[in-house]
PDB file of all heavy atoms in Angstrom:
ATOM      1  N   PRO A   1       5.351 -19.223 -11.681  1.00 89.00           N
ATOM      2  CA  PRO A   1       4.367 -19.479 -10.576  1.00 89.00           C
ATOM      3  C   PRO A   1       4.729 -18.726  -9.230  1.00 89.00           C
ATOM      4  O   PRO A   1       5.885 -18.475  -8.961  1.00 89.00           O
ATOM      5  CB  PRO A   1       4.434 -21.023 -10.408  1.00 89.00           C
ATOM      6  CG  PRO A   1       4.894 -21.474 -11.625  1.00 89.00           C
ATOM      7  CD  PRO A   1       5.870 -20.491 -12.095  1.00 89.00           C
ATOM      8  N   GLY A   2       3.745 -18.258  -8.555  1.00 92.00           N
ATOM      9  CA  GLY A   2       3.905 -17.588  -7.259  1.00 92.00           C
ATOM     10  C   GLY A   2       3.509 -16.099  -7.372  1.00 92.00           C
ATOM     11  O   GLY A   2       2.992 -15.604  -8.344  1.00 92.00           O
ATOM     12  N   ALA A   3       3.881 -15.279  -6.286  1.00 96.00           N
ATOM     13  CA  ALA A   3       3.529 -13.876  -6.231  1.00 96.00           C
ATOM     14  C   ALA A   3       4.414 -13.195  -5.281  1.00 96.00           C
ATOM     15  O   ALA A   3       5.086 -13.829  -4.430  1.00 96.00           O
ATOM     16  CB  ALA A   3       2.103 -13.795  -5.651  1.00 96.00           C
ATOM     17  N   VAL A   4       4.508 -11.842  -5.580  1.00 96.00           N
ATOM     18  CA  VAL A   4       5.357 -10.995  -4.603  1.00 96.00           C
ATOM     19  C   VAL A   4       4.312  -9.957  -4.117  1.00 96.00           C
ATOM     20  O   VAL A   4       3.565  -9.447  -4.739  1.00 96.00           O
ATOM     21  CB  VAL A   4       6.399 -10.252  -5.455  1.00 96.00           C
ATOM     22  CG1 VAL A   4       7.172  -9.250  -4.603  1.00 96.00           C
ATOM     23  CG2 VAL A   4       7.435 -11.249  -6.097  1.00 96.00           C
ATOM     24  N   LYS A   5       4.551  -9.774  -2.754  1.00 97.00           N
ATOM     25  CA  LYS A   5       3.603  -8.960  -1.981  1.00 97.00           C
ATOM     26  C   LYS A   5       4.304  -7.758  -1.247  1.00 97.00           C
ATOM     27  O   LYS A   5       5.390  -8.065  -0.857  1.00 97.00           O
ATOM     28  CB  LYS A   5       2.780  -9.724  -0.960  1.00 97.00           C
ATOM     29  CG  LYS A   5       1.979 -10.851  -1.515  1.00 97.00           C
ATOM     30  CD  LYS A   5       1.194 -11.598  -0.475  1.00 97.00           C
ATOM     31  CE  LYS A   5       0.269 -12.690  -1.177  1.00 97.00           C
ATOM     32  NZ  LYS A   5      -0.688 -13.173  -0.279  1.00 97.00           N
ATOM     33  N   VAL A   6       3.703  -6.641  -1.350  1.00 98.00           N
ATOM     34  CA  VAL A   6       4.281  -5.403  -0.673  1.00 98.00           C
ATOM     35  C   VAL A   6       3.351  -4.911   0.395  1.00 98.00           C
ATOM     36  O   VAL A   6       2.032  -4.658   0.101  1.00 98.00           O
ATOM     37  CB  VAL A   6       4.487  -4.338  -1.654  1.00 98.00           C
ATOM     38  CG1 VAL A   6       5.208  -3.119  -1.070  1.00 98.00           C
ATOM     39  CG2 VAL A   6       5.432  -4.973  -2.859  1.00 98.00           C
ATOM     40  N   ASP A   7       3.797  -4.676   1.527  1.00 98.00           N
ATOM     41  CA  ASP A   7       2.990  -4.168   2.663  1.00 98.00           C
ATOM     42  C   ASP A   7       2.909  -2.641   2.413  1.00 98.00           C
ATOM     43  O   ASP A   7       3.783  -1.890   2.808  1.00 98.00           O
ATOM     44  CB  ASP A   7       3.671  -4.425   3.970  1.00 98.00           C
ATOM     45  CG  ASP A   7       2.867  -3.988   5.172  1.00 98.00           C
ATOM     46  OD1 ASP A   7       1.825  -3.264   4.934  1.00 98.00           O
ATOM     47  OD2 ASP A   7       3.252  -4.334   6.275  1.00 98.00           O
ATOM     48  N   LEU A   8       1.710  -2.117   2.002  1.00 98.00           N
ATOM     49  CA  LEU A   8       1.544  -0.720   1.728  1.00 98.00           C
ATOM     50  C   LEU A   8       1.449   0.082   3.114  1.00 98.00           C
ATOM     51  O   LEU A   8       1.618   1.406   3.018  1.00 98.00           O
ATOM     52  CB  LEU A   8       0.306  -0.550   0.970  1.00 98.00           C
ATOM     53  CG  LEU A   8       0.295  -1.223  -0.442  1.00 98.00           C
ATOM     54  CD1 LEU A   8      -1.046  -0.956  -1.178  1.00 98.00           C
ATOM     55  CD2 LEU A   8       1.534  -0.778  -1.309  1.00 98.00           C
ATOM     56  N   GLU A   9       1.044  -0.490   4.149  1.00 97.00           N
ATOM     57  CA  GLU A   9       1.020   0.174   5.411  1.00 97.00           C
ATOM     58  C   GLU A   9       2.439   0.763   5.938  1.00 97.00           C
ATOM     59  O   GLU A   9       2.448   1.641   6.860  1.00 97.00           O
ATOM     60  CB  GLU A   9       0.392  -0.636   6.553  1.00 97.00           C
ATOM     61  CG  GLU A   9      -1.005  -0.998   6.289  1.00 97.00           C
ATOM     62  CD  GLU A   9      -1.774  -1.568   7.406  1.00 97.00           C
ATOM     63  OE1 GLU A   9      -2.013  -0.871   8.360  1.00 97.00           O
ATOM     64  OE2 GLU A   9      -2.049  -2.791   7.435  1.00 97.00           O
ATOM     65  N   THR A  10       3.461   0.194   5.315  1.00 98.00           N
ATOM     66  CA  THR A  10       4.840   0.617   5.736  1.00 98.00           C
ATOM     67  C   THR A  10       5.487   1.559   4.700  1.00 98.00           C
ATOM     68  O   THR A  10       6.673   1.878   4.863  1.00 98.00           O
ATOM     69  CB  THR A  10       5.740  -0.631   5.894  1.00 98.00           C
ATOM     70  OG1 THR A  10       5.770  -1.358   4.680  1.00 98.00           O
ATOM     71  CG2 THR A  10       5.150  -1.638   6.968  1.00 98.00           C
ATOM     72  N   LEU A  11       4.689   1.979   3.713  1.00 97.00           N
ATOM     73  CA  LEU A  11       5.312   2.929   2.777  1.00 97.00           C
ATOM     74  C   LEU A  11       5.673   4.275   3.549  1.00 97.00           C
ATOM     75  O   LEU A  11       4.790   4.816   4.269  1.00 97.00           O
ATOM     76  CB  LEU A  11       4.392   3.254   1.671  1.00 97.00           C
ATOM     77  CG  LEU A  11       4.365   2.242   0.431  1.00 97.00           C
ATOM     78  CD1 LEU A  11       3.281   2.660  -0.496  1.00 97.00           C
ATOM     79  CD2 LEU A  11       5.710   2.248  -0.302  1.00 97.00           C
ATOM     80  N   GLU A  12       6.775   4.763   3.252  1.00 98.00           N
ATOM     81  CA  GLU A  12       7.235   6.039   3.817  1.00 98.00           C
ATOM     82  C   GLU A  12       7.851   6.973   2.776  1.00 98.00           C
ATOM     83  O   GLU A  12       8.628   6.565   1.951  1.00 98.00           O
ATOM     84  CB  GLU A  12       8.157   5.854   4.939  1.00 98.00           C
ATOM     85  CG  GLU A  12       7.621   5.068   6.219  1.00 98.00           C
ATOM     86  CD  GLU A  12       8.576   4.857   7.309  1.00 98.00           C
ATOM     87  OE1 GLU A  12       9.853   5.128   6.997  1.00 98.00           O
ATOM     88  OE2 GLU A  12       8.203   4.443   8.438  1.00 98.00           O
ATOM     89  N   THR A  13       7.555   8.287   3.009  1.00 96.00           N
ATOM     90  CA  THR A  13       8.092   9.241   2.024  1.00 96.00           C
ATOM     91  C   THR A  13       9.063  10.206   2.771  1.00 96.00           C
ATOM     92  O   THR A  13       9.721  11.018   2.163  1.00 96.00           O
ATOM     93  CB  THR A  13       6.934  10.144   1.484  1.00 96.00           C
ATOM     94  OG1 THR A  13       6.420  10.931   2.551  1.00 96.00           O
ATOM     95  CG2 THR A  13       5.835   9.357   0.823  1.00 96.00           C
ATOM     96  N   GLY A  14       9.061  10.086   4.027  1.00 95.00           N
ATOM     97  CA  GLY A  14      10.005  11.064   4.888  1.00 95.00           C
ATOM     98  C   GLY A  14       9.261  12.085   5.484  1.00 95.00           C
ATOM     99  O   GLY A  14       9.802  12.884   6.270  1.00 95.00           O
ATOM    100  N   ILE A  15       7.974  12.237   5.146  1.00 94.00           N
ATOM    101  CA  ILE A  15       7.118  13.289   5.829  1.00 94.00           C
ATOM    102  C   ILE A  15       5.950  12.640   6.383  1.00 94.00           C
ATOM    103  O   ILE A  15       5.114  12.045   5.709  1.00 94.00           O
ATOM    104  CB  ILE A  15       6.664  14.397   4.758  1.00 94.00           C
ATOM    105  CG1 ILE A  15       7.952  15.097   4.285  1.00 94.00           C
ATOM    106  CG2 ILE A  15       5.707  15.323   5.483  1.00 94.00           C
ATOM    107  CD1 ILE A  15       7.674  16.139   3.063  1.00 94.00           C
ATOM    108  N   GLY A  16       5.816  12.627   7.774  1.00 95.00           N
ATOM    109  CA  GLY A  16       4.810  11.880   8.477  1.00 95.00           C
ATOM    110  C   GLY A  16       3.373  12.245   7.971  1.00 95.00           C
ATOM    111  O   GLY A  16       2.581  11.267   7.799  1.00 95.00           O
ATOM    112  N   LEU A  17       2.983  13.509   7.795  1.00 92.00           N
ATOM    113  CA  LEU A  17       1.734  13.876   7.496  1.00 92.00           C
ATOM    114  C   LEU A  17       1.344  13.387   6.058  1.00 92.00           C
ATOM    115  O   LEU A  17       0.247  12.778   5.743  1.00 92.00           O
ATOM    116  CB  LEU A  17       1.521  15.354   7.507  1.00 92.00           C
ATOM    117  CG  LEU A  17       0.161  15.966   7.078  1.00 92.00           C
ATOM    118  CD1 LEU A  17      -0.890  15.292   8.105  1.00 92.00           C
ATOM    119  CD2 LEU A  17       0.148  17.438   7.204  1.00 92.00           C
ATOM    120  N   ARG A  18       2.367  13.452   5.193  1.00 92.00           N
ATOM    121  CA  ARG A  18       2.170  12.934   3.786  1.00 92.00           C
ATOM    122  C   ARG A  18       1.844  11.541   3.770  1.00 92.00           C
ATOM    123  O   ARG A  18       1.157  11.023   3.029  1.00 92.00           O
ATOM    124  CB  ARG A  18       3.263  13.425   2.836  1.00 92.00           C
ATOM    125  CG  ARG A  18       3.171  12.948   1.415  1.00 92.00           C
ATOM    126  CD  ARG A  18       4.186  13.539   0.444  1.00 92.00           C
ATOM    127  NE  ARG A  18       5.558  13.323   0.818  1.00 92.00           N
ATOM    128  CZ  ARG A  18       6.557  13.937   0.296  1.00 92.00           C
ATOM    129  NH1 ARG A  18       6.405  14.896  -0.509  1.00 92.00           N
ATOM    130  NH2 ARG A  18       7.823  13.611   0.689  1.00 92.00           N
ATOM    131  N   ASP A  19       2.768  10.810   4.579  1.00 95.00           N
ATOM    132  CA  ASP A  19       2.651   9.313   4.755  1.00 95.00           C
ATOM    133  C   ASP A  19       1.179   8.933   5.129  1.00 95.00           C
ATOM    134  O   ASP A  19       0.613   8.063   4.602  1.00 95.00           O
ATOM    135  CB  ASP A  19       3.627   8.749   5.757  1.00 95.00           C
ATOM    136  CG  ASP A  19       5.067   8.904   5.271  1.00 95.00           C
ATOM    137  OD1 ASP A  19       5.316   9.278   4.027  1.00 95.00           O
ATOM    138  OD2 ASP A  19       6.024   8.714   6.107  1.00 95.00           O
ATOM    139  N   ARG A  20       0.708   9.603   6.108  1.00 94.00           N
ATOM    140  CA  ARG A  20      -0.678   9.365   6.604  1.00 94.00           C
ATOM    141  C   ARG A  20      -1.666   9.545   5.652  1.00 94.00           C
ATOM    142  O   ARG A  20      -2.636   8.722   5.451  1.00 94.00           O
ATOM    143  CB  ARG A  20      -0.927  10.180   7.887  1.00 94.00           C
ATOM    144  CG  ARG A  20      -2.147   9.693   8.674  1.00 94.00           C
ATOM    145  CD  ARG A  20      -2.113  10.150  10.096  1.00 94.00           C
ATOM    146  NE  ARG A  20      -2.080  11.508  10.234  1.00 94.00           N
ATOM    147  CZ  ARG A  20      -1.056  12.324  10.702  1.00 94.00           C
ATOM    148  NH1 ARG A  20       0.133  11.733  10.991  1.00 94.00           N
ATOM    149  NH2 ARG A  20      -1.129  13.551  10.809  1.00 94.00           N
ATOM    150  N   HIS A  21      -1.551  10.673   4.894  1.00 92.00           N
ATOM    151  CA  HIS A  21      -2.617  10.975   3.803  1.00 92.00           C
ATOM    152  C   HIS A  21      -2.508   9.956   2.715  1.00 92.00           C
ATOM    153  O   HIS A  21      -3.534   9.516   2.217  1.00 92.00           O
ATOM    154  CB  HIS A  21      -2.229  12.346   3.181  1.00 92.00           C
ATOM    155  CG  HIS A  21      -2.678  13.484   4.116  1.00 92.00           C
ATOM    156  ND1 HIS A  21      -2.521  14.791   3.789  1.00 92.00           N
ATOM    157  CD2 HIS A  21      -3.358  13.527   5.214  1.00 92.00           C
ATOM    158  CE1 HIS A  21      -2.993  15.582   4.682  1.00 92.00           C
ATOM    159  NE2 HIS A  21      -3.615  14.863   5.600  1.00 92.00           N
ATOM    160  N   MET A  22      -1.341   9.572   2.355  1.00 94.00           N
ATOM    161  CA  MET A  22      -1.160   8.516   1.274  1.00 94.00           C
ATOM    162  C   MET A  22      -1.765   7.220   1.629  1.00 94.00           C
ATOM    163  O   MET A  22      -2.551   6.671   0.805  1.00 94.00           O
ATOM    164  CB  MET A  22       0.362   8.318   1.003  1.00 94.00           C
ATOM    165  CG  MET A  22       0.658   7.243  -0.008  1.00 94.00           C
ATOM    166  SD  MET A  22       2.469   7.049  -0.127  1.00 94.00           S
ATOM    167  CE  MET A  22       3.018   6.592   1.462  1.00 94.00           C
ATOM    168  N   ARG A  23      -1.432   6.765   2.870  1.00 96.00           N
ATOM    169  CA  ARG A  23      -1.943   5.429   3.250  1.00 96.00           C
ATOM    170  C   ARG A  23      -3.472   5.478   3.596  1.00 96.00           C
ATOM    171  O   ARG A  23      -4.139   4.541   3.163  1.00 96.00           O
ATOM    172  CB  ARG A  23      -1.261   5.137   4.594  1.00 96.00           C
ATOM    173  CG  ARG A  23       0.171   4.844   4.447  1.00 96.00           C
ATOM    174  CD  ARG A  23       0.882   4.485   5.725  1.00 96.00           C
ATOM    175  NE  ARG A  23       2.264   4.534   5.831  1.00 96.00           N
ATOM    176  CZ  ARG A  23       3.000   4.851   6.942  1.00 96.00           C
ATOM    177  NH1 ARG A  23       2.363   5.111   8.022  1.00 96.00           N
ATOM    178  NH2 ARG A  23       4.216   5.013   6.892  1.00 96.00           N
ATOM    179  N   GLU A  24      -3.929   6.498   4.276  1.00 95.00           N
ATOM    180  CA  GLU A  24      -5.389   6.459   4.639  1.00 95.00           C
ATOM    181  C   GLU A  24      -6.272   7.103   3.649  1.00 95.00           C
ATOM    182  O   GLU A  24      -7.367   6.521   3.472  1.00 95.00           O
ATOM    183  CB  GLU A  24      -5.416   7.232   6.079  1.00 95.00           C
ATOM    184  CG  GLU A  24      -4.709   6.471   7.134  1.00 95.00           C
ATOM    185  CD  GLU A  24      -4.723   7.353   8.452  1.00 95.00           C
ATOM    186  OE1 GLU A  24      -5.450   8.330   8.566  1.00 95.00           O
ATOM    187  OE2 GLU A  24      -3.983   6.870   9.351  1.00 95.00           O
ATOM    188  N   ASN A  25      -5.993   8.186   2.994  1.00 94.00           N
ATOM    189  CA  ASN A  25      -6.829   8.873   2.067  1.00 94.00           C
ATOM    190  C   ASN A  25      -6.849   8.268   0.727  1.00 94.00           C
ATOM    191  O   ASN A  25      -7.912   8.374   0.014  1.00 94.00           O
ATOM    192  CB  ASN A  25      -6.575  10.409   2.093  1.00 94.00           C
ATOM    193  CG  ASN A  25      -6.706  11.020   3.385  1.00 94.00           C
ATOM    194  OD1 ASN A  25      -7.235  10.412   4.359  1.00 94.00           O
ATOM    195  ND2 ASN A  25      -6.296  12.251   3.554  1.00 94.00           N
ATOM    196  N   TYR A  26      -5.719   7.908   0.217  1.00 95.00           N
ATOM    197  CA  TYR A  26      -5.556   7.430  -1.099  1.00 95.00           C
ATOM    198  C   TYR A  26      -5.458   5.948  -1.298  1.00 95.00           C
ATOM    199  O   TYR A  26      -6.227   5.327  -2.050  1.00 95.00           O
ATOM    200  CB  TYR A  26      -4.369   8.158  -1.803  1.00 95.00           C
ATOM    201  CG  TYR A  26      -4.662   9.637  -1.743  1.00 95.00           C
ATOM    202  CD1 TYR A  26      -3.755  10.405  -0.923  1.00 95.00           C
ATOM    203  CD2 TYR A  26      -5.564  10.213  -2.530  1.00 95.00           C
ATOM    204  CE1 TYR A  26      -3.981  11.818  -0.801  1.00 95.00           C
ATOM    205  CE2 TYR A  26      -5.721  11.600  -2.378  1.00 95.00           C
ATOM    206  CZ  TYR A  26      -4.973  12.422  -1.497  1.00 95.00           C
ATOM    207  OH  TYR A  26      -5.186  13.781  -1.429  1.00 95.00           O
ATOM    208  N   LEU A  27      -4.548   5.283  -0.567  1.00 96.00           N
ATOM    209  CA  LEU A  27      -4.549   3.888  -0.687  1.00 96.00           C
ATOM    210  C   LEU A  27      -5.515   3.108   0.168  1.00 96.00           C
ATOM    211  O   LEU A  27      -5.847   1.953  -0.051  1.00 96.00           O
ATOM    212  CB  LEU A  27      -3.168   3.402  -0.215  1.00 96.00           C
ATOM    213  CG  LEU A  27      -2.009   3.885  -1.169  1.00 96.00           C
ATOM    214  CD1 LEU A  27      -0.575   3.433  -0.578  1.00 96.00           C
ATOM    215  CD2 LEU A  27      -2.072   3.431  -2.594  1.00 96.00           C
ATOM    216  N   GLU A  28      -6.060   3.855   1.163  1.00 97.00           N
ATOM    217  CA  GLU A  28      -7.144   3.336   2.098  1.00 97.00           C
ATOM    218  C   GLU A  28      -6.765   1.977   2.614  1.00 97.00           C
ATOM    219  O   GLU A  28      -7.580   1.048   2.627  1.00 97.00           O
ATOM    220  CB  GLU A  28      -8.427   3.326   1.171  1.00 97.00           C
ATOM    221  CG  GLU A  28      -8.921   4.622   0.716  1.00 97.00           C
ATOM    222  CD  GLU A  28     -10.125   4.510  -0.157  1.00 97.00           C
ATOM    223  OE1 GLU A  28     -10.089   4.023  -1.303  1.00 97.00           O
ATOM    224  OE2 GLU A  28     -11.157   4.949   0.353  1.00 97.00           O
ATOM    225  N   VAL A  29      -5.656   1.888   3.293  1.00 97.00           N
ATOM    226  CA  VAL A  29      -5.102   0.656   3.769  1.00 97.00           C
ATOM    227  C   VAL A  29      -5.974   0.094   4.856  1.00 97.00           C
ATOM    228  O   VAL A  29      -5.975  -1.220   5.164  1.00 97.00           O
ATOM    229  CB  VAL A  29      -3.687   0.788   4.301  1.00 97.00           C
ATOM    230  CG1 VAL A  29      -2.731   1.112   3.046  1.00 97.00           C
ATOM    231  CG2 VAL A  29      -3.630   1.844   5.389  1.00 97.00           C
ATOM    232  N   LYS A  30      -6.787   0.836   5.552  1.00 96.00           N
ATOM    233  CA  LYS A  30      -7.501   0.208   6.615  1.00 96.00           C
ATOM    234  C   LYS A  30      -8.762  -0.550   6.117  1.00 96.00           C
ATOM    235  O   LYS A  30      -9.458  -1.110   6.949  1.00 96.00           O
ATOM    236  CB  LYS A  30      -8.068   1.455   7.474  1.00 96.00           C
ATOM    237  CG  LYS A  30      -6.987   2.306   8.120  1.00 96.00           C
ATOM    238  CD  LYS A  30      -6.084   1.485   9.009  1.00 96.00           C
ATOM    239  CE  LYS A  30      -5.091   2.289   9.709  1.00 96.00           C
ATOM    240  NZ  LYS A  30      -4.131   1.585  10.375  1.00 96.00           N
ATOM    241  N   LYS A  31      -9.051  -0.529   4.857  1.00 96.00           N
ATOM    242  CA  LYS A  31     -10.115  -1.305   4.258  1.00 96.00           C
ATOM    243  C   LYS A  31     -10.020  -2.774   4.237  1.00 96.00           C
ATOM    244  O   LYS A  31     -10.977  -3.519   3.959  1.00 96.00           O
ATOM    245  CB  LYS A  31     -10.534  -0.740   2.881  1.00 96.00           C
ATOM    246  CG  LYS A  31     -11.149   0.630   2.867  1.00 96.00           C
ATOM    247  CD  LYS A  31     -11.759   0.941   1.431  1.00 96.00           C
ATOM    248  CE  LYS A  31     -12.729   2.126   1.433  1.00 96.00           C
ATOM    249  NZ  LYS A  31     -13.188   2.318   0.124  1.00 96.00           N
ATOM    250  N   GLY A  32      -8.769  -3.297   4.549  1.00 95.00           N
ATOM    251  CA  GLY A  32      -8.513  -4.692   4.495  1.00 95.00           C
ATOM    252  C   GLY A  32      -7.379  -5.109   3.646  1.00 95.00           C
ATOM    253  O   GLY A  32      -6.699  -4.323   2.996  1.00 95.00           O
ATOM    254  N   PRO A  33      -7.166  -6.385   3.516  1.00 92.00           N
ATOM    255  CA  PRO A  33      -5.951  -6.880   2.803  1.00 92.00           C
ATOM    256  C   PRO A  33      -5.913  -6.511   1.447  1.00 92.00           C
ATOM    257  O   PRO A  33      -4.871  -6.498   0.789  1.00 92.00           O
ATOM    258  CB  PRO A  33      -5.947  -8.397   3.010  1.00 92.00           C
ATOM    259  CG  PRO A  33      -7.422  -8.669   3.474  1.00 92.00           C
ATOM    260  CD  PRO A  33      -7.927  -7.466   4.131  1.00 92.00           C
ATOM    261  N   ASP A  34      -6.991  -6.411   0.611  1.00 94.00           N
ATOM    262  CA  ASP A  34      -7.036  -6.009  -0.710  1.00 94.00           C
ATOM    263  C   ASP A  34      -6.546  -4.548  -0.949  1.00 94.00           C
ATOM    264  O   ASP A  34      -6.290  -4.148  -2.075  1.00 94.00           O
ATOM    265  CB  ASP A  34      -8.382  -6.199  -1.406  1.00 94.00           C
ATOM    266  CG  ASP A  34      -8.694  -7.661  -1.647  1.00 94.00           C
ATOM    267  OD1 ASP A  34      -7.857  -8.505  -1.625  1.00 94.00           O
ATOM    268  OD2 ASP A  34     -10.009  -7.923  -1.931  1.00 94.00           O
ATOM    269  N   PHE A  35      -6.422  -3.840   0.164  1.00 97.00           N
ATOM    270  CA  PHE A  35      -5.976  -2.481   0.140  1.00 97.00           C
ATOM    271  C   PHE A  35      -4.637  -2.239   0.877  1.00 97.00           C
ATOM    272  O   PHE A  35      -3.852  -1.357   0.435  1.00 97.00           O
ATOM    273  CB  PHE A  35      -7.112  -1.540   0.741  1.00 97.00           C
ATOM    274  CG  PHE A  35      -8.274  -1.482  -0.067  1.00 97.00           C
ATOM    275  CD1 PHE A  35      -9.262  -2.476  -0.113  1.00 97.00           C
ATOM    276  CD2 PHE A  35      -8.562  -0.335  -0.887  1.00 97.00           C
ATOM    277  CE1 PHE A  35     -10.418  -2.409  -0.838  1.00 97.00           C
ATOM    278  CE2 PHE A  35      -9.736  -0.230  -1.670  1.00 97.00           C
ATOM    279  CZ  PHE A  35     -10.699  -1.203  -1.631  1.00 97.00           C
ATOM    280  N   SER A  36      -4.338  -2.983   1.890  1.00 98.00           N
ATOM    281  CA  SER A  36      -3.147  -2.810   2.563  1.00 98.00           C
ATOM    282  C   SER A  36      -1.936  -3.537   2.133  1.00 98.00           C
ATOM    283  O   SER A  36      -0.873  -3.220   2.419  1.00 98.00           O
ATOM    284  CB  SER A  36      -3.373  -3.335   4.117  1.00 98.00           C
ATOM    285  OG  SER A  36      -3.656  -4.641   4.148  1.00 98.00           O
ATOM    286  N   VAL A  37      -2.244  -4.482   1.087  1.00 98.00           N
ATOM    287  CA  VAL A  37      -1.148  -5.215   0.470  1.00 98.00           C
ATOM    288  C   VAL A  37      -1.320  -5.131  -1.027  1.00 98.00           C
ATOM    289  O   VAL A  37      -2.472  -5.258  -1.595  1.00 98.00           O
ATOM    290  CB  VAL A  37      -1.181  -6.698   0.839  1.00 98.00           C
ATOM    291  CG1 VAL A  37      -0.075  -7.540   0.094  1.00 98.00           C
ATOM    292  CG2 VAL A  37      -1.045  -6.862   2.332  1.00 98.00           C
ATOM    293  N   ALA A  38      -0.122  -4.793  -1.725  1.00 98.00           N
ATOM    294  CA  ALA A  38      -0.195  -4.904  -3.198  1.00 98.00           C
ATOM    295  C   ALA A  38       0.496  -6.325  -3.595  1.00 98.00           C
ATOM    296  O   ALA A  38       1.460  -6.613  -3.066  1.00 98.00           O
ATOM    297  CB  ALA A  38       0.548  -3.705  -3.790  1.00 98.00           C
ATOM    298  N   THR A  39      -0.140  -6.869  -4.577  1.00 97.00           N
ATOM    299  CA  THR A  39       0.474  -8.182  -5.013  1.00 97.00           C
ATOM    300  C   THR A  39       0.508  -8.204  -6.515  1.00 97.00           C
ATOM    301  O   THR A  39      -0.275  -7.774  -7.221  1.00 97.00           O
ATOM    302  CB  THR A  39      -0.557  -9.373  -4.600  1.00 97.00           C
ATOM    303  OG1 THR A  39      -0.834  -9.274  -3.182  1.00 97.00           O
ATOM    304  CG2 THR A  39       0.036 -10.658  -4.975  1.00 97.00           C
ATOM    305  N   ILE A  40       1.774  -8.684  -6.943  1.00 97.00           N
ATOM    306  CA  ILE A  40       1.967  -8.887  -8.397  1.00 97.00           C
ATOM    307  C   ILE A  40       2.044 -10.436  -8.563  1.00 97.00           C
ATOM    308  O   ILE A  40       2.856 -11.136  -7.920  1.00 97.00           O
ATOM    309  CB  ILE A  40       3.153  -8.129  -8.876  1.00 97.00           C
ATOM    310  CG1 ILE A  40       3.241  -8.327 -10.512  1.00 97.00           C
ATOM    311  CG2 ILE A  40       4.395  -8.537  -8.311  1.00 97.00           C
ATOM    312  CD1 ILE A  40       4.093  -7.405 -11.205  1.00 97.00           C
ATOM    313  N   GLU A  41       1.242 -10.879  -9.489  1.00 96.00           N
ATOM    314  CA  GLU A  41       1.223 -12.392  -9.719  1.00 96.00           C
ATOM    315  C   GLU A  41       1.051 -12.631 -11.197  1.00 96.00           C
ATOM    316  O   GLU A  41       0.992 -11.696 -12.112  1.00 96.00           O
ATOM    317  CB  GLU A  41       0.038 -13.127  -8.880  1.00 96.00           C
ATOM    318  CG  GLU A  41      -1.290 -12.499  -9.364  1.00 96.00           C
ATOM    319  CD  GLU A  41      -2.421 -13.024  -8.472  1.00 96.00           C
ATOM    320  OE1 GLU A  41      -2.166 -13.555  -7.323  1.00 96.00           O
ATOM    321  OE2 GLU A  41      -3.539 -12.986  -8.958  1.00 96.00           O
ATOM    322  N   GLY A  42       1.088 -13.947 -11.592  1.00 94.00           N
ATOM    323  CA  GLY A  42       0.896 -14.206 -12.983  1.00 94.00           C
ATOM    324  C   GLY A  42       2.106 -13.553 -13.846  1.00 94.00           C
ATOM    325  O   GLY A  42       1.895 -13.156 -14.992  1.00 94.00           O
ATOM    326  N   ILE A  43       3.244 -13.544 -13.299  1.00 94.00           N
ATOM    327  CA  ILE A  43       4.436 -12.956 -13.938  1.00 94.00           C
ATOM    328  C   ILE A  43       4.884 -13.715 -15.138  1.00 94.00           C
ATOM    329  O   ILE A  43       5.145 -14.998 -14.950  1.00 94.00           O
ATOM    330  CB  ILE A  43       5.580 -12.701 -12.830  1.00 94.00           C
ATOM    331  CG1 ILE A  43       4.991 -11.909 -11.678  1.00 94.00           C
ATOM    332  CG2 ILE A  43       6.693 -12.036 -13.604  1.00 94.00           C
ATOM    333  CD1 ILE A  43       5.985 -11.884 -10.457  1.00 94.00           C
ATOM    334  N   LYS A  44       5.030 -13.067 -16.215  1.00 93.00           N
ATOM    335  CA  LYS A  44       5.591 -13.841 -17.399  1.00 93.00           C
ATOM    336  C   LYS A  44       6.852 -13.173 -17.879  1.00 93.00           C
ATOM    337  O   LYS A  44       6.879 -11.946 -17.928  1.00 93.00           O
ATOM    338  CB  LYS A  44       4.560 -13.843 -18.624  1.00 93.00           C
ATOM    339  CG  LYS A  44       3.368 -14.695 -18.358  1.00 93.00           C
ATOM    340  CD  LYS A  44       2.573 -14.822 -19.636  1.00 93.00           C
ATOM    341  CE  LYS A  44       1.413 -15.705 -19.401  1.00 93.00           C
ATOM    342  NZ  LYS A  44       0.624 -15.878 -20.645  1.00 93.00           N
ATOM    343  N   VAL A  45       7.966 -13.933 -18.142  1.00 89.00           N
ATOM    344  CA  VAL A  45       9.206 -13.404 -18.450  1.00 89.00           C
ATOM    345  C   VAL A  45       9.629 -13.869 -19.782  1.00 89.00           C
ATOM    346  O   VAL A  45       9.300 -14.981 -20.180  1.00 89.00           O
ATOM    347  CB  VAL A  45      10.304 -13.649 -17.458  1.00 89.00           C
ATOM    348  CG1 VAL A  45       9.929 -12.835 -16.158  1.00 89.00           C
ATOM    349  CG2 VAL A  45      10.412 -15.039 -17.136  1.00 89.00           C
TER     350      VAL A  45
END
C-alpha cells in the first residue's frame, strides 16, 4: 500500500536548454499535477 512520487520539474541533465526542452516540450510539466509529478503505485513484490 502507498505510492512513491517524483517531482519532474526538478529533473536535470546538466544542460539548461535541454532541461527546459525536456520539461516543457516533452513532459509538459506546466499542464498540472498529472504532468509535473510521476507516481508509482499498486506496487507488488
